[in-house]
Amino acid sequence: MFELPPETIVRPSICAILLVLIPLFIRRLNRLDMLSRSRWLSFAGGASAAFVFVHVFPELSEGSRTVKQADPFYVVSEQHVYVVALAGFTLFYGLEQYVKDSSRYLGDSQNSRTNAGTFWVQLGPFAFYSCLIGYLLFNRHQPGLDSLVFFALAMGLHFMETDYGLRETHSKLYDHVGRWILAIATASGAIIGFLVKFNDAVIAILFAFLAGSVVLNVTREGLPGEHKIRFRAFVVGGTIYTVLLLLSGL
């Protein structure tokens, strides 16, 4: 009887399940007092920032070489991967500005309608973002258990940050609908990742888009404002995650 190796389905599936559960149950963190919640979010922000600088940027460099080697006609430049990363960064930055502008220019009487409209505009790219993370659990440019664990852990901490930001912006809409859509998107991405395998060049491009999005979202949510930042917790999270990444050789 044919058996799939654990690294092909079991381990990524476990990670996918854990990531799916985060938007569904992380709201219990809101029951903590403001100080404890700020520490956890700052710790997660430090770890996410470490993941970006120590792992994502080097992975982008490696992905650019993969895309270049996959193009026999030399039409694609190594810099094109970074252009894709910039596109991911720009998309989520544009969404952030759209939400801010909508809240600023429309009056309080239209607040609920505005919130509903911006909610759906913002949620769509975040659903794609979650789907992409689910897919990359099964198809990463850098295979292996260490790569999987560190990717899943970083994305889990990152999900905590984005969940807090979306809930803070959209409140009941996110609790009633949004968190379920993000959970389904992550699960759908994992299923697609198991069933569909793209070549290394496509995976490198997908990771580049995710990388640009992660950089923006870490900057926005992982580096919280003065009213909720705990710098020591941020440094501890970043230091611990950096040391673990360096020890693993990723």
Side-chain angles (χ1 to χ4, degrees):
M1 181 178 178
F2 177 73
E3 294 184 1
L4 293 170
E7 61 273 13
T8 301
I9 181 171
V10 176
R11 293 165 181 167
S13 297
I14 293 173
C15 292
I17 291 170
L18 293 175
L19 290 183
V20 166
L21 293 176
I22 288 176
L24 298 182
F25 296 103
I26 197 60
R27 63 177 179 169
R28 298 179 185 274
L29 188 64
N30 288 336
R31 296 178 182 177
L32 298 176
D33 61 86
M34 181 61 73
L35 179 60
S36 298
R37 187 164 68 243
S38 297
R39 285 172 176 165
W40 274 110
L41 289 171
S42 298
F43 180 92
S48 297
F51 178 74
V52 166
F53 282 95
V54 181
H55 181 74
V56 170
F57 288 161
E59 186 81 359
L60 272 180
S61 178
E62 186 176 346
S64 69
R65 290 191 294 270
T66 299
V67 171
K68 180 68 174 179
Q69 292 169 1
D71 178 26
F73 301 105
Y74 299 99
V75 175
V76 179
S77 166
E78 292 183 7
Q79 283 75 21
H80 287 178
V81 166
Y82 295 97
V83 172
V84 174
L86 177 61
F89 182 95
T90 303
L91 172 63
F92 279 87
Y93 179 72
L95 285 174
E96 181 183 4
Q97 293 306 306
Y98 174 79
V99 171
K100 288 181 179 179
D101 291 344
S102 297
S103 301
R104 184 182 303 121
Y105 293 123
L106 294 178
D108 293 338
S109 61
Q110 298 178 349
N111 229 6
S112 61
R113 185 185 304 175
T114 301
N115 191 42
T118 57
F119 167 74
W120 289 110
V121 170
Q122 192 174 23
L123 190 68
F126 269 104
F128 175 74
Y129 182 76
S130 300
C131 182
L132 186 54
I133 290 171
Y135 178 85
L136 290 174
L137 286 173
F138 285 84
N139 301 281
R140 295 175 318 287
H141 185 68
Q142 195 172 41
L145 179 60
D146 287 348
S147 172
L148 172 65
V149 169
F150 281 106
F151 177 76
L153 180 58
M155 292 301 99
L157 292 171
H158 186 49
F159 274 12
M160 290 173 56
E161 301 158 16
T162 55
D163 178 273
Y164 179 83
L166 289 170
R167 179 171 285 109
E168 192 175 44
T169 303
H170 300 293
S171 188
K172 292 181 180 179
L173 272 173
Y174 179 77
D175 273 338
H176 292 164
V177 180
R179 63 194 181 101
W180 292 98
I181 292 177
L182 295 187
I184 292 171
T186 304
S188 300
I191 293 171
I192 295 171
F194 172 65
L195 296 176
V196 181
K197 169 71 174 178
F198 296 118
N199 62 43
D200 289 343
V202 174
I203 291 175
I205 291 173
L206 292 176
F207 183 83
F209 181 85
L210 176 66
S213 308
V214 167
V215 169
L216 188 280
N217 289 318
V218 164
T219 304
R220 184 186 62 186
E221 302 295 346
L223 304 176
E226 291 181 0
H227 65 287
K228 56 184 179 181
I229 192 171
R230 295 294 179 268
F231 182 69
R232 281 185 293 182
F234 179 87
V235 172
V236 169
T239 301
I240 291 176
Y241 208 80
T242 298
V243 170
L244 291 175
L245 283 170
L246 293 177
L247 289 176
S248 69
L250 292 178

